[in-house]
Every structure is written in C-alpha cells, then in structure tokens.
Amino acid sequence: MIAGRALATFATRAEAVVASVRSAGDIPVPGRVRRADLLDAAFLGGTAAHGIELDDGFRQGSVHPGCTVVPAILSVGYRTGASGRALIEAIGRRL
C-alpha cells in the first residue's frame, strides 16, 4: 500500500474520485494524507496495494488475497481499536 501510493497514479486518481463524491472519514489509509470511512479506506488501500503488482501468492490456488484482505483488516482493526497482535492473527486466519 505504501509503495503503491506514489508509484501508481491510479491510486491517486481513485482517491480523487472518492473525495469528489464522499466526505472524509476517520480511518487512516496507509501512504495517504486524507482519512476515509471504513469502506473507502479498505478500497483505497487495496487499490494502492494491488496497483504495482507486488502481490503475495497462494501456492494451492491462483490467487493473491493479501492486497484485499490486509487493507480491509487494517481498516476494521483501526475502527475497533484492535491490537497489532490481533491484526496479525486476523490476517493469518484469512490468508
């Protein structure tokens, strides 16, 4: 997400579109200044994470869930006040 924030212009464009139709929220988006609501934070984080193709891999299938799972878990974790340990455990259960 952080690497994708500066290298992927579409992440900036996605943020501009979201900002043009929705108000800011309270959840930080890694690598961005503007905070977003829960859904927008997960979406914008996922867009940046997926954009530069630094995806994880899953050997038993042709998927790379980290770029969607991690931003969603970080957003929900921030909203609920989850600990770093809880976030890591949640990510491990989903991947």
Side-chain angles (χ1 to χ4, degrees):
M1 287 182 286
I2 293 172
R5 71 156 168 73
L7 299 175
T9 58
F10 55 85
T12 299
R13 290 179 186 158
E15 182 179 34
V17 169
V18 168
S20 73
V21 296
R22 296 170 57 86
S23 59
D26 63 336
I27 299 175
V29 179
R32 311 307 293 180
V33 174
R34 184 177 187 270
R35 290 180 176 228
D37 69 13
L38 182 63
L39 294 177
D40 291 343
F43 166 72
L44 293 170
T47 300
H50 187 64
I52 59 173
E53 298 297 330
L54 291 176
D55 299 325
D56 58 334
F58 181 64
R59 292 184 183 157
Q60 289 74 27
S62 180
V63 297
H64 42 89
C67 62
T68 54
V69 171
V70 172
I73 288 175
L74 288 176
S75 297
V76 171
Y78 184 85
R79 169 62 52 85
T80 62
S83 68
R85 180 181 179 130
L87 293 175
I88 291 168
E89 289 174 353
I91 291 167
R93 284 192 301 270
R94 300 299 177 247
L95 301 179

